[in-house]
Amino acid sequence: MLDALVPMVKIPDWRVTTAEILYHMPDHPHVLQTFIWQKTDRAPEFPELTRFLDFWRREIEGPLHSVRVASAALIEPAQLRYSNGVFTIH
């Protein structure tokens, strides 16, 4: 019953986040260029990526076409596998 009274504390989910950014080249608007951005960020809000994309829109001449995001957890549950045999090496 005491557990119900203790508020749950959510630990931020820090992840290695990679964004593939496609943008139109300023001198040749019909040509797309790729930019890869990678940083440790907090899922699912991704504040660092959002801050970077806001900077891009404000300061960089190449208009964004699309952004594709992938992220992987830094801390995962341990993976445990059982062995099918024992091997001895001399």
Side-chain angles (χ1 to χ4, degrees):
M1 184 143 181
L2 184 58
D3 292 336
L5 300 175
V6 178
M8 294 296 292
V9 177
K10 179 157 173 35
I11 299 172
D13 188 9
W14 290 95
R15 296 171 168 261
V16 175
T17 303
T18 305
E20 179 187 31
I21 301 167
L22 286 176
Y23 65 96
H24 297 275
M25 293 186 67
D27 297 337
H28 304 284
H30 58 283
V31 177
L32 291 176
Q33 182 73 26
T34 302
F35 180 81
I36 302 295
W37 176 92
Q38 188 173 50
K39 193 168 185 173
T40 304
D41 208 352
R42 196 172 60 241
E45 298 87 16
F46 300 111
E48 294 294 327
L49 177 59
T50 302
R51 216 175 347 263
F52 177 74
L53 293 175
D54 289 343
F55 166 79
W56 185 292
R57 288 184 194 104
R58 265 191 336 271
E59 304 292 333
I60 297 178
E61 292 180 20
L64 295 173
H65 176 271
S66 61
V67 178
R68 188 166 50 168
V69 179
S71 64
L74 293 174
I75 301 172
E76 295 180 346
Q79 294 181 358
L80 193 59
R81 290 186 282 181
Y82 292 102
S83 172
N84 287 337
V86 177
F87 303 98
T88 304
I89 299 176
H90 296 285

